[in-house]
Amino acid sequence: MAAPTARRREKLRQATLAEIHQAARELLTDQGPAAVTINAVARRIGMSGPALYHYFASHDDLVAAVTAGFLRELTTAMRTARDARPADAAGDRLLATCRAMRHWATAHPAEFGWIFASPIPAAASARHRPDTPRNQAARDFELVFLQQIEELWARRGFPVPALEDLDPSIREQLRAYAESLGRDLPIEALHVALSCWIKLYGLLCMEVLNQLDFVYSDPGPIYEETLRDLVDTLGLDYRPPEPSELPPHAPPS
């Protein structure tokens, strides 16, 4: 009897955690990040504030858990798009990954902003606590892109700068980053990969946070230009997006 009882309790716990996550998401999208408090989430699911502390020890823990959930959702969308392409089509897989990231981000701007631009201090401090679910979810997200670059480098390589041409500070920072991830991509190749990522991710953040509205009502073609430059830098072929890869509101490029 002990094992079935434990399974039922765990099933109920997981169901409650799913309710909590959904309630937090609704508060976020309806009222903004500041509305996501322990008491507000508890009220939305018909629970008392103190009862919610059985699931999360603090508001910081709640924020970190919600962040991890959004990251896992985004990562799954990117992996699914990647894996829908043939294993030997490196360019198509990378393009599909990056387009899926934009598709999810523009469809979920509040969630994307919560992950990457939240004003809540706990969201930032959680990044520096190793081995937390939020930290692991963040690593899984960044590796969706980086692992494809590693595979490309192992198969065929791509143009990189000479190591001695990189600023010493950049070299040391990249070495520390590579060690923290446990990756063996050469520093020069990692520099190229991160330069591509910064351009792409930076553009997406500006779009989702409405920092391009003063000039672009549709940043989609700019994103595609950046993707074209990215695959060209890596020695891959560019493929225009299919309708299913575009956000619902975006006209074909």
Side-chain angles (χ1 to χ4, degrees):
M1 291 296 293
T5 299
R7 284 196 296 270
R8 282 196 299 272
R9 286 176 178 169
E10 180 57 24
K11 187 175 181 179
L12 286 171
R13 175 178 173 80
Q14 292 304 318
T16 302
L17 288 171
E19 278 192 81
I20 292 170
H21 182 84
Q22 181 60 29
R25 184 176 213 149
E26 291 171 358
L27 286 164
L28 170 67
T29 56
D30 293 346
Q31 302 176 40
V36 185
T37 66
I38 290 284
N39 287 333
V41 170
R43 283 195 301 271
R44 184 157 288 223
I45 64 173
M47 181 184 288
S48 70
L52 200 66
Y53 282 105
H54 290 295
Y55 296 89
F56 298 104
S58 67
H59 179 249
D60 282 10
D61 287 345
L62 173 64
V63 169
V66 172
T67 304
F70 292 155
L71 278 165
R72 285 191 289 266
E73 187 178 313
L74 171 55
T75 300
T76 296
M78 293 166 67
R79 285 174 174 165
T80 299
R82 176 198 65 192
D83 294 343
R85 301 290 173 181
D88 60 350
D92 283 359
R93 286 168 68 84
L94 189 61
L95 287 167
T97 299
C98 297
R99 287 170 179 149
M101 179 173 67
R102 177 173 182 258
H103 195 295
W104 189 92
T106 55
H108 303 91
E111 292 91 331
F112 186 84
W114 171 282
I115 295 172
F116 299 111
S118 174
I120 299 175
S125 64
R127 297 189 188 103
H128 305 292
R129 300 204 304 267
D131 302 323
T132 64
R134 190 263 176 229
N135 189 289
Q136 185 57 56
R139 286 296 169 89
D140 290 344
F141 163 70
E142 61 187 305
L143 287 177
V144 178
F145 181 86
L146 188 57
Q147 284 175 339
Q148 292 182 74
I149 305 300
E150 290 178 329
E151 291 167 7
L152 177 63
W153 178 260
R155 274 203 310 273
R156 54 186 286 187
F158 46 82
V160 297
L163 183 61
E164 59 271 20
D165 288 342
L166 296 178
D167 185 280
S169 176
I170 291 177
R171 293 199 299 264
E172 291 309 309
Q173 291 176 79
L174 289 174
R175 284 196 182 95
Y177 176 64
E179 289 175 5
S180 73
L181 291 177
R183 321 306 296 185
D184 57 3
L185 192 65
I187 298 302
E188 311 94 302
L190 184 58
H191 176 67
V192 171
L194 288 176
S195 296
C196 290
W197 175 254
I198 289 167
K199 292 175 184 177
L200 189 71
Y201 170 68
L203 175 61
L204 182 57
C205 285
M206 292 184 72
E207 176 183 1
V208 176
L209 299 177
N210 302 313
Q211 298 301 304
L212 297 174
D213 289 1
F214 70 99
V215 59
Y216 295 119
S217 60
D218 173 25
I222 304 300
Y223 194 81
E224 287 300 317
E225 280 187 6
T226 305
L227 283 181
R228 190 188 295 271
D229 290 343
L230 186 155
V231 295
D232 183 65
T233 296
L234 299 173
L236 300 169
D237 293 327
Y238 174 81
R239 169 185 57 80
E242 299 174 1
S244 62
E245 294 179 299
L246 294 169
H249 63 277
S253 299

